[in-house]
Amino acid sequence: MSLNHIRPWRHIERRKSRQIHVGNVPIGGDAPIAVQTMTNTLTTDVAATIAQVQAAAEAGADLVRVSVPDEASSKALKEIVRESPVPIVADIHFHYKRGIEAAEAGAACLRINPGNIGDEKRVAEVIKAARDHNCSIRIGVNAGSLEKHLLDKYGEPCPEAMVESGLDHIRILQDHDFHEFKISVKASDVFMSAAAYQQLAEATDAPIHLGITEAGGFVSGTIKSAIGLGQLLWMGIGDTLRVSLSADPVEEVKVGFEILKSLGLRHRGVNIISCPSCARQGFDVIKTVEALEERLAHIHTPMSLSIIGCVVNGPGEALMTDVGFTGGGAGAGMVYLAGKASHKMSNEEMVDHIVEQVEQKAAEINAAEAAAAE
């Protein structure tokens, strides 16, 4: 339920970037901000890697990155690409030949780190392979692996050094008449990342991939990513992103979508608005939300659901959601549909009933969209 037309302070003016393609996924321009994750299985364990790719895709990932550290991984990549439901980005470090092999194996994009892939001649060979196999490139600058001459120049990793590294490698690609590239300037330091990305956005029209690298575990990494990526996205910067967590890749996808959903930049699945609960609650809010998150995970249709424990804020929140439930007294609460009070429902039957209402609303939305597309 979008109200941006009457709430201009919700509007985000996205930075104008040129558009490239990673496989069949457009990146930049007016394309939706793409969500990416990365497998953490051994690439040579083809079955495990494919399973992880498929799980990430089911969670909503538009792209999945796979590490290609050795020749055996390059060989495995071909089968992974063949079985993947989404374009595969090959992560290349140190050995330029892995980039060539990955392009030949069908990778849709090569992620290369300018600081450790080698001299310009080797980069040129990777560029040729990418062009020959219709493969895009991501220049992946990382504060932890900057070129020695930049560290000597600036004394330490800093936004200026990261941006200079990125622009140097953009020039290499452009000198070879290669323009299907995006770029990232990641650091584990939120301040450094944000400053580097802001400078980069001013210096190039290339699509930008956002990330706070090595952000940490699920809780701390989610918070750091929400702060760092959230402020950049709010400024209109970013065409694709990855939330880097020491956690299941599926969790990275979920967090990425939640960040985008909170800013109104992507909409997928049920956006649950719920209170933290207190002594006023008319039902167990926490357990209810946990149950609903699990049972509504299969819904991909963008929708909003409010679950509020009492009547202090419940009716007001329900006005803004597709489906809502507000706790009352005597073991029952009020169900809201399309922002209006509809009927009472017992707490015992509430979860099943809400799932039914959400599924019904999703079916209505899907039917209306299908009819409009005819």
Side-chain angles (χ1 to χ4, degrees):
M1 183 179 293
S2 175
L3 296 173
N4 287 9
H5 63 291
I6 61 171
R7 294 179 175 174
W9 35 267
R10 281 186 174 179
H11 178 67
I12 292 176
E13 187 70 32
R14 286 182 62 190
R15 162 184 168 271
K16 302 299 182 185
S17 62
R18 58 186 177 79
Q19 189 172 97
I20 69 167
H21 281 79
V22 177
N24 61 357
V25 177
I27 303 293
D30 59 357
I33 297 170
V35 175
Q36 179 177 308
T37 186
M38 184 173 182
T39 58
N40 55 27
T41 53
L42 287 175
T43 305
T44 50
D45 187 341
V46 173
T49 303
I50 290 173
Q52 204 168 70
V53 169
Q54 291 173 335
E58 176 61 26
D62 301 293
L63 309 168
V64 175
R65 182 153 50 110
V66 175
S67 183
V68 185
D70 49 40
E71 191 173 359
S73 297
S74 296
K75 292 178 180 178
L77 188 67
K78 189 170 186 177
E79 185 174 352
I80 293 166
V81 167
R82 186 169 60 246
E83 296 295 327
S84 175
V86 296
I88 294 294
V89 179
D91 195 65
I92 309 299
H93 285 280
F94 302 116
H95 210 304
Y96 75 103
K97 286 188 177 179
R98 301 292 86 80
I100 296 171
E101 293 162 0
E104 293 172 345
C109 180
L110 306 178
R111 187 272 192 181
I112 60 173
N113 188 320
N116 61 27
I117 199 171
D119 59 28
E120 185 173 337
K121 181 180 178 181
R122 289 180 172 181
V123 175
E125 291 190 49
V126 175
I127 293 171
K128 182 180 185 303
R131 178 183 287 110
D132 290 346
H133 296 278
N134 197 29
C135 187
S136 61
I137 288 177
R138 171 158 73 91
I139 299 170
V141 178
N142 194 304
S145 55
L146 285 169
E147 298 94 316
K148 184 179 184 302
H149 75 275
L150 291 175
L151 293 176
D152 291 341
K153 176 180 179 179
Y154 290 98
E156 65 176 2
C158 63
E160 291 75 15
M162 295 168 68
V163 173
E164 183 171 333
S165 174
L167 295 179
D168 285 346
H169 285 82
I170 282 178
R171 279 190 288 273
I172 294 173
L173 298 187
Q174 291 176 332
D175 286 347
H176 288 81
D177 197 28
F178 189 90
H179 305 282
E180 283 289 303
F181 64 85
K182 53 183 176 171
I183 183 169
S184 62
V185 282
K186 294 185 179 183
S188 59
D189 182 292
V190 174
F191 295 95
M192 190 187 303
S193 290
Y197 275 116
Q198 289 174 56
Q199 291 180 29
L200 182 69
E202 294 291 330
T204 179
D205 68 347
I208 288 178
H209 171 80
L210 297 181
I212 306 297
T213 193
E214 296 151 358
F218 180 74
V219 175
S220 62
T222 294
I223 292 169
K224 287 174 69 175
S225 296
I227 293 170
L229 305 189
Q231 66 166 312
L232 291 166
L233 291 165
W234 203 332
M235 295 171 66
I237 298 171
D239 301 290
T240 174
L241 64 83
R242 179 205 174 182
V243 175
S244 297
L245 303 176
S246 301
D248 189 317
V250 167
E251 299 300 332
E252 294 188 350
V253 178
K254 290 179 179 178
V255 173
F257 263 103
E258 288 301 322
I259 291 172
L260 293 173
K261 283 162 65 175
S262 70
L263 293 170
L265 292 169
R266 283 288 295 269
H267 302 280
R268 185 182 192 274
V270 182
N271 181 27
I272 299 180
I273 298 164
S274 61
C275 68
S277 79
C278 70
R280 295 192 305 267
Q281 65 181 352
F283 61 97
D284 192 324
V285 173
I286 294 174
K287 288 185 178 179
T288 299
V289 171
E290 288 177 350
L292 288 171
E293 285 180 334
E294 181 178 348
R295 293 188 56 182
L296 296 175
H298 66 289
I299 301 290
H300 296 167
T301 307
M303 289 184 58
S304 54
L305 168 66
S306 59
I307 303 295
I308 309 297
C310 76
V311 296
V312 174
N313 293 320
E317 292 291 353
L319 288 173
M320 316 302 260
T321 54
D322 295 301
V323 179
F325 185 85
T326 295
M334 179 62 70
V335 176
Y336 291 77
L337 300 176
K340 297 181 179 180
S342 176
H343 54 276
K344 286 189 174 182
M345 177 58 53
S346 70
N347 293 346
E348 288 78 8
E349 299 175 290
M350 175 250 293
V351 170
D352 289 339
H353 186 67
I354 290 175
V355 170
E356 180 183 319
Q357 294 298 317
V358 169
E359 290 177 336
Q360 181 177 324
K361 181 64 177 179
E364 292 172 3
I365 293 172
N366 293 340
E369 291 179 348
E374 292 179 354

